[in-house]
Amino acid sequence: MASAYNRVINFGAGPSALPVSVLEEAAQGLLNFRGTGMGVAEISHRSKEFQTFLDEFEASIRTQLAVPPTHRILFTQGGGTAQFSAVVLNLLARYRLLHPERGADETVVDYVVTGSWSKKAAQEAARLGGARVHIAADAREHGGKAFDHIPAHGAYRFSQDPALVYYCENETVDGVEFSHDPASPASFPYHLLPQDTLVPLVADYSSSFMCRPIPRLADHAVIYAGAQKNIGPAGLTILIVREDCIVDVDAAARLGAAPVPLIMSYKTLADSGSLYNTPCVLPIYISGLVIARMEANGGMPHYEEMNKRKAERVYKALDEGEKAGVFRRKVQKGSGSWMNVVFEVLGEGAEKRFLEGAEKLGMKGLKGHRCAGCTCFIQIYMLIHGSHRAQIRWRLVALILL
């Protein structure tokens, strides 16, 4: 059916490609949403039909990720970048309510810096003020200037009582990802966090949301994900927030915390059922269709296994290219992402030939992020709903170019 629409294989890292079946259903919903006679982009977000859809969307996420009742699922706008600010403001408000006697000099926020996005998040925390930013680990300090690996557990130095601990599970630009194998040195060191307390652990899952289960989800205070990297169009951000982090930000402000814009307040979102203002209805609708399709196809077990196989195929092709001297990995083995594989094409004009050859076979979006700082940097994004055909065809292109 995809060929009937003249569609190419889209490897773009965001906005992501979407399943044709979902796009077809969404097209119908744009004309007549659930028999209302109105399109989903026209219907009131407070209608019973849209509210029912939103409830189903939330329930499907909760079921597939096994989100415990201690956590709320919220929907908002602004992408992951807005959460760089919202996380800091909400968790500093929480900390001030817990410790009203402590000022900014006595408050610390911990950041694990493993790539471009975690670096930006730490910079935003420093810009906002209200706490000292402590870099608990920086991948560049243990192996060179590049973000090419996840630090080993011995590199981490967490604070005793931080207002938050932040990490980015998968760095889209740099192609590094925390391992989900707890025995791996590239896994997140949960055992090094402060013990016997509700640690305000924050994770950016934008690039890998719903590709496989989230390890120790219940131990996180906040998980957020911009939907456009994996499950839908740009505009929607999904939050999973522990109840103790949904606080009265105005009460905290009266004690000296920075005021939090209402639309960034987790309490505002929670109290209004994510409908304080008009939400991004169309991205919610399409993302909800993708999540429903995932559940119908077997949910997390199915997609985890499928994504594992896809990653293995791509890395196998990359290994063959390295042996032939035409590719070079940008990420150390053991730290590579399942979702975006980054590498260089070696040789004068080789990258151009590679991209042109891929384009002739209907594959686009292979060139890397503009922030990579390297012109011969190619990124492959493996979507949760992509077919193996795309990876097989990519591998054939690699072998042809050898």
Side-chain angles (χ1 to χ4, degrees), residues 181-255:
D181 177 4
S184 169
S187 63
F188 188 83
Y190 297 99
H191 63 287
L192 297 178
L193 293 170
Q195 302 298 306
D196 302 320
T197 184
L198 282 174
V199 178
L201 181 62
V202 176
D204 179 348
Y205 262 80
S206 293
S207 295
S208 52
F209 189 66
M210 299 298 293
C211 81
R212 52 181 173 171
I214 296 176
R216 298 180 64 161
L217 186 152
D219 292 337
H220 289 75
V222 180
I223 292 168
Y224 66 83
Q228 77 280 359
K229 292 293 184 71
N230 230 27
I231 65 166
L236 170 65
T237 305
I238 300 167
L239 302 169
I240 301 174
V241 185
R242 200 171 60 207
E243 292 280 3
D244 66 285
C245 297
I246 300 173
V247 302
D248 187 336
V249 295
D250 291 335
R254 289 192 290 271
L255 294 173

Side-chain angles (χ1 to χ4, degrees), residues 18 70 75 80 101 132 269 278 290 371 392:
L18 292 166
T70 52
F75 303 102
E101 75 286 355
R132 290 183 294 108
L269 289 171
T278 305
V290 170
C371 297
I392 293 169

Side-chain angles (χ1 to χ4, degrees), residues 5 19 42 61 92 127 148 164 176 198 212 230 256 274 276 315 322 335 363:
Y5 297 106
E42 306 167 286
I61 293 173
L92 285 182
R127 191 187 72 82
D148 64 357
L164 68 90
V176 298
L198 282 174
R212 52 181 173 171
N230 230 27
S274 299
Y276 177 76
Y315 279 113
E322 280 201 308
S335 296
M363 289 177 282

Side-chain angles (χ1 to χ4, degrees), residues 22-45:
V22 165
L23 293 174
E24 290 174 333
E25 187 174 357
Q28 293 302 312
L30 277 169
L31 295 170
N32 189 342
F33 174 64
R34 295 197 164 183
T36 60
M38 293 182 285
V40 69
E42 306 167 286
I43 197 168
S44 169
H45 61 287

Side-chain angles (χ1 to χ4, degrees), residues 123-361:
Q123 289 171 338
E124 176 63 0
R127 191 187 72 82
L128 288 174
R132 290 183 294 108
V133 175
H134 168 65
I135 304 302
D138 189 326
R140 295 167 298 181
E141 295 179 359
H142 304 276
K145 296 181 180 180
F147 289 120
D148 64 357
H149 70 289
I150 297 293
H153 291 175
Y156 293 81
R157 298 290 182 272
F158 293 112
S159 303
Q160 279 300 107
D161 185 25
L164 68 90
V165 178
Y166 167 97
Y167 74 99
C168 181
E169 196 266 350
N170 183 92
E171 294 275 4
T172 316
V173 175
D174 304 280
V176 298
E177 183 176 43
F178 283 87
S179 171
H180 286 204
D181 177 4
S184 169
S187 63
F188 188 83
Y190 297 99
H191 63 287
L192 297 178
L193 293 170
Q195 302 298 306
D196 302 320
T197 184
L198 282 174
V199 178
L201 181 62
V202 176
D204 179 348
Y205 262 80
S206 293
S207 295
S208 52
F209 189 66
M210 299 298 293
C211 81
R212 52 181 173 171
I214 296 176
R216 298 180 64 161
L217 186 152
D219 292 337
H220 289 75
V222 180
I223 292 168
Y224 66 83
Q228 77 280 359
K229 292 293 184 71
N230 230 27
I231 65 166
L236 170 65
T237 305
I238 300 167
L239 302 169
I240 301 174
V241 185
R242 200 171 60 207
E243 292 280 3
D244 66 285
C245 297
I246 300 173
V247 302
D248 187 336
V249 295
D250 291 335
R254 289 192 290 271
L255 294 173
V260 181
L262 276 179
I263 200 61
M264 283 189 167
S265 164
Y266 295 157
K267 189 174 190 302
T268 299
L269 289 171
D271 289 349
S272 64
S274 299
L275 298 175
Y276 177 76
N277 66 327
T278 305
C280 47
V281 173
L282 185 57
I284 286 174
Y285 178 53
I286 296 176
S287 299
L289 294 179
V290 170
I291 295 297
R293 176 180 180 273
M294 290 182 63
E295 188 167 13
N297 286 343
M300 286 294 92
H302 169 74
Y303 284 94
E304 180 177 27
E305 178 57 32
M306 185 178 74
N307 286 318
K308 181 175 182 292
R309 291 198 304 267
K310 288 193 291 186
E312 288 170 348
R313 292 184 181 199
V314 175
Y315 279 113
K316 183 178 180 182
L318 183 55
D319 288 342
E320 291 174 1
E322 280 201 308
K323 289 175 184 176
V326 296
F327 293 155
R328 180 166 60 213
R329 283 176 179 260
K330 296 286 288 183
V331 176
Q332 295 180 24
K333 290 188 177 182
S335 296
S337 169
W338 278 20
M339 303 308 295
N340 42 286
V341 182
V342 297
F343 60 95
E344 290 177 306
V345 183
L346 305 177
E348 185 69 29
E351 179 194 355
K352 184 173 182 292
R353 292 194 302 274
F354 180 91
L355 293 173
E356 288 175 350
E359 184 124 352
K360 288 176 182 176
L361 290 179

